[in-house]
Coordinates of all heavy atoms in Angstrom, one line a residue:
Chain B
V2 N 130.3 79.7 48.9 CA 129.3 78.8 48.4 C 128.0 79.6 48.0 O 127.5 80.4 48.8 CB 128.9 77.7 49.4 CG1 127.8 76.9 48.9 CG2 130.1 76.9 49.7
G8 N 113.8 81.6 38.4 CA 112.8 82.5 38.8 C 111.4 81.9 39.1 O 111.1 80.8 38.8
V11 N 104.4 80.4 37.3 CA 103.0 80.2 37.4 C 102.5 79.1 36.5 O 102.8 79.1 35.3 CB 102.2 81.5 37.1 CG1 100.7 81.3 37.3 CG2 102.7 82.7 38.0
P14 N 96.8 73.9 37.0 CA 96.7 72.5 37.5 C 96.9 71.5 36.5 O 96.4 71.6 35.4 CB 95.3 72.5 38.1 CG 95.0 74.0 38.4 CD 95.7 74.7 37.3
S21 N 115.5 75.1 38.6 CA 117.0 74.9 38.6 C 117.7 75.5 39.8 O 117.2 76.4 40.4 CB 117.6 75.4 37.3 OG 117.5 76.8 37.2
S31 N 130.6 67.0 44.9 CA 131.1 66.5 46.2 C 130.0 66.5 47.3 O 130.2 66.0 48.4 CB 132.3 67.3 46.6 OG 133.4 67.0 45.8
Y32 N 128.9 67.1 47.0 CA 127.9 67.3 48.0 C 126.5 67.0 47.4 O 126.2 67.4 46.3 CB 127.8 68.7 48.6 CG 129.1 69.2 49.2 CD1 130.2 69.7 48.5 CD2 129.2 69.1 50.6 CE1 131.3 70.0 49.1 CE2 130.4 69.5 51.2 CZ 131.5 70.0 50.4 OH 132.6 70.4 51.1
V34 N 122.5 67.4 46.8 CA 121.6 68.5 46.7 C 120.2 68.0 47.2 O 119.7 67.0 46.7 CB 121.5 69.1 45.3 CG1 120.4 70.2 45.2 CG2 122.8 69.6 44.8
N35 N 119.7 68.7 48.1 CA 118.3 68.4 48.6 C 117.3 69.4 48.2 O 117.7 70.6 48.0 CB 118.4 68.3 50.2 CG 119.1 67.0 50.7 OD1 118.5 66.1 51.1 ND2 120.4 67.0 50.6
W36 N 116.1 69.1 48.2 CA 115.0 70.0 47.9 C 114.0 70.0 49.0 O 113.6 69.0 49.5 CB 114.3 69.7 46.6 CG 115.2 69.9 45.4 CD1 116.1 69.0 44.9 CD2 115.3 71.1 44.6 NE1 116.8 69.5 43.8 CE2 116.3 70.8 43.6 CE3 114.7 72.3 44.6 CZ2 116.7 71.8 42.6 CZ3 115.0 73.2 43.7 CH2 116.0 73.0 42.7
V37 N 113.7 71.2 49.4 CA 112.7 71.5 50.6 C 111.7 72.5 50.1 O 112.1 73.5 49.4 CB 113.5 72.0 51.8 CG1 112.6 72.3 52.9 CG2 114.6 71.0 52.2
R38 N 110.5 72.3 50.4 CA 109.5 73.3 50.1 C 108.8 73.9 51.3 O 108.8 73.3 52.4 CB 108.5 72.7 49.1 CG 107.4 71.8 49.6 CD 106.4 71.4 48.5 NE 105.3 70.7 49.1 CZ 104.3 70.2 48.3 NH1 104.3 70.4 47.0 NH2 103.3 69.5 48.9
G44 N 105.5 75.5 57.5 CA 106.8 75.0 57.8 C 107.5 74.4 56.6 O 107.1 74.5 55.5
W47 N 110.7 68.4 53.5 CA 111.7 67.8 52.7 C 111.1 67.0 51.6 O 110.2 66.2 51.8 CB 112.6 66.9 53.6 CG 113.7 66.3 52.9 CD1 114.9 66.8 52.4 CD2 113.8 64.9 52.5 NE1 115.7 65.9 51.8 CE2 115.0 64.7 51.9 CE3 112.9 63.8 52.7 CZ2 115.5 63.4 51.4 CZ3 113.4 62.5 52.2 CH2 114.6 62.4 51.6
W50 N 116.5 64.0 47.8 CA 117.9 64.3 47.6 C 118.4 63.7 46.3 O 117.8 62.8 45.7 CB 118.8 63.7 48.8 CG 118.7 62.2 48.8 CD1 117.8 61.5 49.6 CD2 119.6 61.3 48.2 NE1 118.1 60.1 49.4 CE2 119.1 60.0 48.5 CE3 120.7 61.4 47.3 CZ2 119.7 58.8 48.1 CZ3 121.3 60.3 46.8 CH2 120.8 59.0 47.2
S55 N 126.9 60.7 41.2 CA 126.3 59.4 40.6 C 125.0 59.6 39.9 O 124.6 58.8 39.1 CB 126.1 58.4 41.8 OG 125.2 58.9 42.7
G56 N 124.3 60.7 40.3 CA 122.9 60.8 39.8 C 121.9 60.1 40.7 O 120.7 60.2 40.4
G59 N 116.8 60.0 46.0 CA 115.9 59.4 47.0 C 114.8 60.4 47.3 O 115.1 61.6 47.5
M70 N 114.5 64.4 40.2 CA 115.7 65.3 40.5 C 116.8 64.8 39.6 O 117.2 63.6 39.5 CB 116.1 65.2 41.9 CG 115.0 65.7 42.8 SD 115.4 65.6 44.6 CE 113.8 66.1 45.3
S77 N 127.2 72.6 36.6 CA 127.0 72.6 38.1 C 125.6 73.0 38.5 O 125.4 73.9 39.4 CB 128.0 73.6 38.8 OG 129.3 73.2 38.5
Y80 N 118.4 70.1 39.1 CA 117.0 70.4 38.7 C 116.0 69.5 39.6 O 116.3 68.4 39.9 CB 116.8 70.0 37.2 CG 117.7 70.8 36.3 CD1 118.9 70.2 35.9 CD2 117.4 72.0 35.8 CE1 119.8 70.8 35.1 CE2 118.3 72.7 34.9 CZ 119.5 72.1 34.6 OH 120.3 72.7 33.7
M81 N 114.9 70.1 39.8 CA 113.8 69.4 40.4 C 112.5 69.7 39.6 O 112.1 70.8 39.4 CB 113.6 70.0 41.8 CG 112.5 69.2 42.7 SD 110.8 69.6 42.3 CE 110.8 71.3 42.6
S85 N 102.0 66.9 37.6 CA 100.6 66.8 38.1 C 100.3 67.7 39.2 O 99.8 67.4 40.2 CB 100.3 65.3 38.5 OG 100.6 64.4 37.5
T87 N 98.9 70.5 41.6 CA 97.6 71.0 42.2 C 97.9 72.3 43.0 O 99.0 72.6 43.2 CB 97.0 69.9 43.1 OG1 97.7 69.9 44.3 CG2 96.9 68.6 42.4
D89 N 97.7 72.6 46.0 CA 98.5 72.3 47.2 C 100.0 72.3 47.0 O 100.7 72.3 47.9 CB 98.1 70.9 47.7 CG 96.7 70.8 48.3 OD1 96.2 71.9 48.6 OD2 96.2 69.7 48.4
Y94 N 110.1 76.8 46.7 CA 110.9 75.6 46.7 C 112.4 76.0 46.8 O 112.8 76.9 46.1 CB 110.7 74.8 45.3 CG 109.3 74.2 45.3 CD1 108.2 75.0 45.0 CD2 109.2 72.8 45.4 CE1 106.9 74.4 45.0 CE2 107.9 72.2 45.4 CZ 106.8 73.0 45.2 OH 105.5 72.5 45.2
W100 N 125.7 68.7 53.7 CA 127.1 68.4 54.2 C 127.0 67.2 55.1 O 126.3 67.2 56.1 CB 127.6 69.7 55.0 CG 129.0 69.6 55.4 CD1 130.1 70.1 54.6 CD2 129.5 69.1 56.6 NE1 131.2 69.9 55.3 CE2 130.9 69.3 56.5 CE3 129.0 68.5 57.7 CZ2 131.8 68.9 57.6 CZ3 129.8 68.1 58.8 CH2 131.2 68.3 58.7
S103 N 129.7 61.7 59.9 CA 129.3 60.3 60.4 C 128.0 60.4 61.2 O 127.4 59.4 61.3 CB 130.4 59.7 61.3 OG 130.7 60.6 62.4
L106 N 123.5 64.2 57.9 CA 123.7 65.2 56.9 C 123.0 66.5 57.4 O 122.0 66.5 58.1 CB 123.0 64.8 55.6 CG 123.1 65.6 54.4 CD1 123.2 64.8 53.2 CD2 121.8 66.5 54.3

Side-chain angles (χ1 to χ4, degrees):
Chain B
V2 174
V11 179
S21 67
S31 295
Y32 299 84
V34 175
N35 287 255
W36 291 87
V37 176
R38 77 176 187 180
W47 179 77
W50 63 269
S55 64
M70 296 178 187
S77 300
Y80 302 92
M81 186 283 300
S85 303
T87 72
D89 289 341
Y94 290 76
W100 188 90
S103 57
L106 183 144

